[in-house]
C-alpha cells in the first residue's frame, strides 16, 4: 500500500495545514509506504519570483520535517528533482479531453481570483495526475478542494488502460478527511491563507501571542456564562489541550465569572506548548541546512528509481519503446 501526497510551497504554514494535511501525513507514515513531495512545478503556476519560490520550498521542507516527517519512514523530495513527471504528464495529455479540464472548479476559482490563465494553470490537474501515477500510488490524502483533481486522475487511468492495456497504470483512491476536520480561522471562517485569518504553526512569540489575544469574541459580560456553541476559542483549544483541560475550559465557559481574556491566555499557552518540541526541532534544522538538502537528495534518488520503473512500463505500453 503506497500513500502519496504533494504539498504546495506557498508561504507560511498554519494550524489548519497542520491538522488537515501534515499531521495526517505523518500518521500515515506508520502504515505502508509514504511518498511525500514538495510541488514546486505546481507553485510556478502562481509564483514567478525565483527567490520567493526557493524560499518557500526550503520553508516547507524544514517545517514538514520539524512536524514529524521522518526520512527513515518516508520518501521526501522536491517534485522538479524528478523531471520525468513531465513526460508522463505529456502522455496523459494525449488522452485527456479538453472538457475534463474545462470542468475543473479550481481552475475557474483561480482565474476569478486574478491569477493569469496560463496553459500550465489549465493543465495543472494533468501534472497532478502524473505526480500520482508515476509512483503507482494507491492512496492520496488531500483536502476537499482537490477531490475533483483526483477524479480527473482516475478518469485518465481508465482512458490509458482502455487504450493501452489494463496493467499500464494503477488506479489511485483519494483519502479526504471529514468535513468536521476543518480548522476555524481567527474570524470563524475556515482557516486559510486566502482569508488572512491564520494562526501560523511557527513564528516569533510576541506577534503570535498578539494574534491569539486579538481573536474576536462576543460582548458577554465577565460574570455571565459564555456560549460554547461556535466558539473559536473552544474549537481551537480542543486541538491543543488535553481532554481534561478542555473539560475544565468548557465548565468555566458555562459557569461564568471568567472573561474572554483569560480564556485566550489559556488558548495561547496550550498552542505554544503544543508546538514546543516541533519548534525546537525546527531551530535545529534551520541551523543545519546541509541536513535538509541531504534528505531531499536521498528522497529524490529513491523517487527517481521508482519513476524510472513505472515510466519504462508506460513507454512500452504506448509505443515509445
Ligand atoms: P490555504 O487554504 O491556506 O491556501 P492550502 O489550500 O494550501 O491552504 O491547504 C494545504 C492543505 O492544508 C490541504 O490539504 C488542505 O486541506 C489543508 N488545510 C488548509 N486549511 C485547512 C483548514 N482550515 N482545516 C483543515 N485543513 C486545512
Ligand atoms: N494540488 C495540490 C494542492 O494544491 C498539491 C499537489 C500537487 C498534489 N500534486 C499532487 C496533491 C499530487 C496530491 C497528489 O494541495
Amino acid at each position: 500500500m503506497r500513500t502519496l501526497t504533494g504539498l504546495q510551497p506557498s508561504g507560511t504554514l498554519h494550524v489548519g495545514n497542520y491538522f488537515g494535511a501534515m499531521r495526517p501525513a505523518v500518521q500515515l507514515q506508520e502504515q505502508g509506504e509514504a511518498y511525500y513531495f514538495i510541488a514546486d512545478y505546481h507553485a510556478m503556476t502562481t509564483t514567478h519570483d525565483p527567490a520567493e519560490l526557493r524560499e518557500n520550498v526550503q520553508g516547507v521542507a524544514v517545517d514538514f520535517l520539524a512536524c514529524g516527517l521522518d526520512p527513515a519512514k518516508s520518501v521526501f523530495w522536491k517534485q522538479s528533482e524528478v523531471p520525468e513527471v513531465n513526460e508522463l504528464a505529456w502522455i496523459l495529455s494525449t488522452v485527456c479531453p479538453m472538457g475534463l479540464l474545462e470542468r475543473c472548479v479550481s481552475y475557474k476559482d483561480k482565474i476569478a481570483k486574478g491569477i493569469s490563465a496560463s496553459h500550465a494553470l489549465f493543465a495543472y490537474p494533468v501534472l497532478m495526475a502524473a505526480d500520482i501515477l508515476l509512483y503507482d500510488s494507491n492512496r492520496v490524502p488531500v483536502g476537499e478542494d482537490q477531490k475533483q483533481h483526483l477524479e480527473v486522475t482516475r478518469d485518465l487511468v481508465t482512458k490509458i488502460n482502455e487504450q493501452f492495456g489494463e496493467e499500464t497504470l494503477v488506479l489511485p483512491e483519494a483519502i479526504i478527511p471529514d468535513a468536521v476536520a476543518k480548522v476555524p480561522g481567527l474570524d470563524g471562517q475556515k482557516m486559510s491563507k486566502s482569508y488572512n485569518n491564520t494562526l501560523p504553526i511557527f513564528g516569533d512569540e510576541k506577534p503570535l501571542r498578539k494574534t491569539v489575544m486579538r481573536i474576536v469574541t462576543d460582548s458577554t459580560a465577565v460574570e455571565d456564562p459564555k456560549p460554547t456553541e461556535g466558539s473559536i476559542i473552544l474549537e481551537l483549544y480542543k486541538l491543543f489541550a488535553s481532554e481534561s483541560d478542555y473539560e475544565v475550559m468548557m465548565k468555566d465557559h458555562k459557569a461564568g465569572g471568567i472573561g474572554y481574556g483569560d480564556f485566550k491566555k489559556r488558548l495561547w499557552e496550550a498552542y505554544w506548548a503544543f508546538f514546543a518540541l516541533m519548534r525546537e526541532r525546527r531551530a535545529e534544522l534551520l541551523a543545519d541546512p546541509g541536513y535538509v538538502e541531504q534528505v531531499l537528495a536521498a528522497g529524490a534518488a529513491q523517487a527517481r528509481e521508482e519513476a524510472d520503473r513505472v515510466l519504462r512500463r508506460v513507454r512500452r505500453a504506448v509505443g515509445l519503446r
Side-chain angles (χ1 to χ4, degrees):
M1 180 64 78
R2 180 169 297 164
T3 305
L4 172 140
T5 199
L7 286 126
Q8 279 237 46
S10 47
T12 313
L13 290 164
H14 55 71
V15 166
N17 297 142
Y18 178 77
F19 288 101
M22 299 165 89
R23 192 171 70 173
V26 167
Q27 287 166 345
L28 282 167
Q29 293 183 124
E30 310 301 330
Q31 307 167 19
E33 289 177 290
Y35 274 57
Y36 299 142
F37 67 93
I38 304 173
D40 56 348
Y41 282 140
H42 278 108
M44 287 184 74
T45 57
T46 46
T47 308
H48 294 122
D49 179 337
E52 184 186 316
L53 182 60
R54 269 184 217 110
E55 195 182 310
N56 284 346
V57 167
Q58 184 66 14
V60 175
V62 167
D63 288 359
F64 212 155
L65 288 167
C67 286
L69 187 144
D70 181 352
K73 294 179 185 157
S74 298
V75 185
F76 185 40
W77 75 103
K78 198 165 85 164
Q79 183 184 28
S80 62
E81 290 290 317
V82 188
E84 289 87 341
V85 72
N86 291 298
E87 182 176 345
L88 183 56
W90 180 259
I91 294 169
L92 297 174
S93 277
T94 65
V95 301
C96 182
M98 290 294 281
L100 198 56
L101 300 179
E102 278 160 0
R103 280 197 294 278
C104 285
V105 180
S106 137
Y107 172 73
K108 291 182 223 166
D109 281 353
K110 286 174 183 170
I111 303 280
K113 272 200 236 152
I115 297 173
S116 56
S118 64
H119 171 251
L121 194 69
F122 186 67
Y124 182 114
V126 181
L127 181 60
M128 180 159 162
D131 289 329
I132 296 167
L133 303 173
L134 187 59
Y135 302 99
D136 280 351
S137 313
N138 306 109
R139 299 187 297 191
V140 184
V142 283
E144 188 70 38
D145 59 325
Q146 299 296 315
K147 200 172 160 182
Q148 196 180 24
H149 293 160
L150 259 296
E151 281 157 18
V152 170
T153 304
R154 288 170 59 88
D155 274 3
L156 293 176
V157 171
T158 308
K159 288 195 185 303
I160 290 274
N161 287 356
E162 269 172 8
Q163 188 71 40
F164 301 110
E166 282 311 314
E167 307 279 285
T168 311
L169 292 171
V170 172
L171 188 68
E173 236 160 279
I175 309 186
I176 318 262
D178 301 348
V180 286
K182 238 169 231 164
V183 176
L186 302 171
D187 58 357
Q189 295 187 81
K190 177 194 171 209
M191 188 180 289
S192 169
K193 277 190 301 295
S194 346
Y195 302 145
N196 250 323
N197 64 355
T198 64
L199 179 57
I201 306 174
F202 298 117
D204 291 332
E205 184 166 358
K206 243 187 160 168
L208 284 176
R209 190 171 206 283
K210 268 201 191 141
T211 303
V212 171
M213 297 311 285
R214 263 203 315 261
I215 293 177
V216 180
T217 49
D218 62 28
S219 53
T220 312
V222 172
E223 57 279 12
D224 291 339
K226 311 286 178 297
T228 54
E229 280 296 309
S231 155
I232 304 164
I233 297 177
L234 277 174
E235 272 184 64
L236 289 174
Y237 190 70
K238 191 169 190 184
L239 297 170
F240 305 125
S242 67
E243 225 166 282
S244 55
D245 284 351
Y246 178 71
E247 270 164 31
V248 172
M249 184 81 144
M250 276 297 253
K251 208 169 87 256
D252 289 346
H253 268 70
K254 288 177 187 157
I258 299 174
Y260 281 121
D262 278 323
F263 292 141
K264 287 189 208 173
K265 220 170 123 221
R266 286 189 212 174
L267 171 61
W268 158 257
E269 277 159 12
Y271 153 79
W272 195 247
F274 186 89
F275 290 111
L277 284 178
M278 297 176 227
R279 210 156 37 237
E280 269 175 42
R281 178 80 187 115
R282 183 166 177 270
E284 287 168 14
L285 290 164
L286 286 173
D288 188 2
Y291 170 77
V292 178
E293 209 174 296
Q294 181 204 319
V295 165
L296 291 175
Q302 210 180 329
R304 201 172 308 118
E305 235 174 73
E306 187 59 14
D308 281 346
R309 189 181 68 78
V310 175
L311 201 51
R312 253 203 301 276
R313 188 179 72 218
V314 176
R315 284 180 184 145
R316 232 180 288 121
V318 302
L320 288 169
R321 289 291 138 85

